């Protein structure tokens, strides 16, 4: 024991004095499987508060460090952690990681990943479904309420007011007993319907497939076989679909023309599901009352984008899953999937092409 302690002391002294080479230090600490990720705490990276949990299981090689020293790290990396699409997973990257076993995505959407390409290298892909359902449903309801009751305008009035008394334009609209149209009644859409019940809303939904009658009755939802019917009848239209070739710009000029002049569009799916140019035109022509967006393209929008100039538009920076609790569970799930891949087991949340 004294010999080990003395060795560790000498190692510490050499590190402090700068006589111990950093490449040898790397070998000392890399006794755990290596993963590649953006710098934790950097823009687009996993938040630094989750670093201790990840480091219990893995040695983290930051992408920036990897680029500088590929020859040292390429063969050691066995999993790639993708958070927010900050790392471009293309053929060049995949070819440079000969022992990569999994691309582990934080979040549900994997439209930024070329899954057939990744699978062609014998690499598995996973995401974190179910984990995000409640937080995303919450943000949908939050956006609906904030837009209807002009919460942002009210806050700005209190903070910057130049006169006393609210103007007529500050009048909001009731959510209670209004009609909510949900486009995409999957797991998240169904949770939104359950929340909307608390406001005694009339709930319509459009989906590729109609849900069982028992599920419809449980949330008081009525199926619309055509999206046109839903758009024509809804006071609030909430889009909750996955991005795919079929849903790319699903809501465009034709759809805005079907909506009620006093209706609000709420998008919590993916930015490209809505044609933003058509949305700007619909707002300018007062074809709809307002819009509330958690997602856009690009993200974030340029400061001079027209959507940021409308007083009746709320734009969030993709906040849907942005809570401490949900983010922590997402990271835990990413670790679970990565560990399964490294041991040759079945990934609990594998996504197949």
């Amino acid at each position: 024991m004294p010999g080990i302690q003395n060795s560790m002391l000498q190692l510490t002294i050499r590190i402090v004095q700068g006589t111990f080479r950093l490449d040898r230090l790397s070998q000392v600490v890399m006794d755990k499987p290596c993963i590649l990720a953006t710098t934790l705490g950097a823009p687009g990276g996993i938040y630094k508060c989750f670093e201790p949990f990840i480091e219990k299981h893995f040695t983290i090689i930051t992408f920036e460090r990897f680029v500088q020293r590929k020859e040292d790290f390429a063969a050691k990396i066995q999993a790639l952690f993708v958070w927010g699409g900050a790392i471009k997973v293309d053929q060049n990257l995949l070819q440079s990681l000969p022992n990569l076993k999994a691309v582990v995505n934080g979040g549900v959407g994997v439209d930024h990943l070329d899954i057939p390409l990744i699978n062609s290298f014998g690499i598995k892909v996973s995401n974190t479904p179910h984990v995000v359902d409640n937080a995303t449903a919450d943000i949908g309801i939050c956006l609906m309420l904030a837009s209807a009751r002009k919460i942002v305008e009210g806050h700005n009035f209190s903070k910057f007011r130049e006169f006393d008394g609210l103007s007529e334009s500050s009048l909001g609209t009731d959510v209670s007993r209004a009609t909510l149209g949900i486009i995409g009644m999957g797991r998240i859409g169904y949770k939104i319907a359950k929340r909307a019940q608390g406001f005694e809303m009339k709930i319509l939904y459009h989906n590729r497939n109609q849900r069982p009658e028992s599920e419809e009755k449980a949330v008081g939802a009525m199926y619309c076989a055509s999206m046109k019917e839903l758009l024509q009848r809804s006071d609030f239209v909430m889009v909750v679909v996955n991005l795919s070739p079929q849903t790319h710009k699903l809501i465009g000029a034709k759809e805005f023309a079907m909506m009620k002049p006093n209706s609000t569009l709420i998008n919590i799916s993916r930015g490209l599901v809505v044609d933003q140019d058509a949305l700007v035109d619909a707002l300018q022509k007062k074809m709809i009352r307002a819009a509330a967006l958690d997602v856009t393209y690009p993200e974030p929008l340029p400061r001079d984008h027209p959507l940021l100039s409308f007083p009746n538009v709320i734009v969030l920076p993709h906040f849907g899953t942005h809570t401490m609790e949900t983010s922590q569970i997402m990271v835990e799930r990413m670790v679970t999937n990565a560990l399964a891949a490294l041991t040759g087991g079945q990934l609990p949340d594998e996504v197949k092409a």
Side-chain angles (χ1 to χ4, degrees), residues 173-233:
T173 186
D174 284 337
V175 168
S176 296
R177 298 185 180 85
T179 300
L180 170 63
I182 302 172
I183 299 176
M185 184 75 100
R187 297 187 316 272
I188 296 171
Y190 196 76
K191 286 180 177 289
I192 289 167
K194 291 178 71 173
R195 286 156 171 75
Q197 274 188 299
F199 296 98
E200 302 176 47
M201 300 187 81
K202 301 178 185 71
I203 301 167
L204 308 176
Y205 78 98
H206 174 72
N207 215 33
R208 283 178 299 179
N209 301 302
Q210 184 172 357
R211 279 184 169 267
E213 185 179 354
S214 59
E215 294 181 0
E216 291 179 337
K217 286 183 177 180
V219 294
M222 180 182 298
Y223 179 65
C224 293
S226 72
M227 193 161 64
K228 179 180 179 180
E229 179 187 1
L230 180 146
L231 294 171
Q232 289 177 334
R233 296 175 57 186

Side-chain angles (χ1 to χ4, degrees), residues 317-336:
H318 207 150
F319 250 20
T321 60
H322 203 73
T323 71
M324 176 62 75
E325 296 85 353
T326 295
S327 296
Q328 180 173 331
I329 298 170
M330 286 169 63
V331 170
E332 291 172 355
R333 199 69 185 173
M334 292 172 75
V335 167
T336 297

Side-chain angles (χ1 to χ4, degrees), residues 119-309:
N119 288 165
S120 72
F121 282 82
I123 300 166
K124 295 180 178 181
V125 177
S126 68
N127 62 353
T128 57
H130 309 291
V131 172
V132 304
D133 296 357
N134 283 317
T136 307
D138 288 348
I139 207 72
I141 296 296
C142 177
L143 281 170
M144 180 173 65
L145 290 169
S147 178
R149 297 305 305 270
K150 302 198 174 183
I151 298 299
V152 175
E153 296 99 309
H155 169 76
N156 289 335
F157 175 83
S158 297
K159 192 172 182 179
F160 304 113
R161 71 182 185 275
E162 298 177 357
F163 55 88
D164 292 326
L166 294 168
S167 65
E168 184 178 332
S169 64
S170 67
L171 284 168
T173 186
D174 284 337
V175 168
S176 296
R177 298 185 180 85
T179 300
L180 170 63
I182 302 172
I183 299 176
M185 184 75 100
R187 297 187 316 272
I188 296 171
Y190 196 76
K191 286 180 177 289
I192 289 167
K194 291 178 71 173
R195 286 156 171 75
Q197 274 188 299
F199 296 98
E200 302 176 47
M201 300 187 81
K202 301 178 185 71
I203 301 167
L204 308 176
Y205 78 98
H206 174 72
N207 215 33
R208 283 178 299 179
N209 301 302
Q210 184 172 357
R211 279 184 169 267
E213 185 179 354
S214 59
E215 294 181 0
E216 291 179 337
K217 286 183 177 180
V219 294
M222 180 182 298
Y223 179 65
C224 293
S226 72
M227 193 161 64
K228 179 180 179 180
E229 179 187 1
L230 180 146
L231 294 171
Q232 289 177 334
R233 296 175 57 186
S234 298
D235 300 307
F236 299 92
V237 175
M238 196 172 302
V239 187
V240 204
V241 298
N242 293 323
L243 178 61
S244 68
Q246 293 73 37
T247 61
H248 182 265
K249 295 190 177 179
L250 178 71
I251 308 297
K254 182 177 71 173
E255 287 70 33
F256 287 120
M258 297 175 184
M259 293 174 64
K260 299 162 71 170
N262 65 340
S263 64
T264 298
L265 175 76
I266 303 157
N267 186 12
I268 59 171
S269 55
R270 284 292 185 268
L272 282 165
V273 171
V274 174
D275 184 335
Q276 287 180 177
D277 292 335
L279 174 58
V280 169
D281 187 60
L283 289 162
Q284 288 173 337
K285 294 179 179 177
K286 302 187 186 305
M287 297 169 68
I288 62 173
R289 187 186 70 85
L293 314 171
D294 183 42
V295 288
T296 58
Y297 63 92
E299 291 177 350
L301 287 176
R303 292 280 185 91
D304 60 351
H305 195 282
L307 282 174
L308 298 177
S309 66

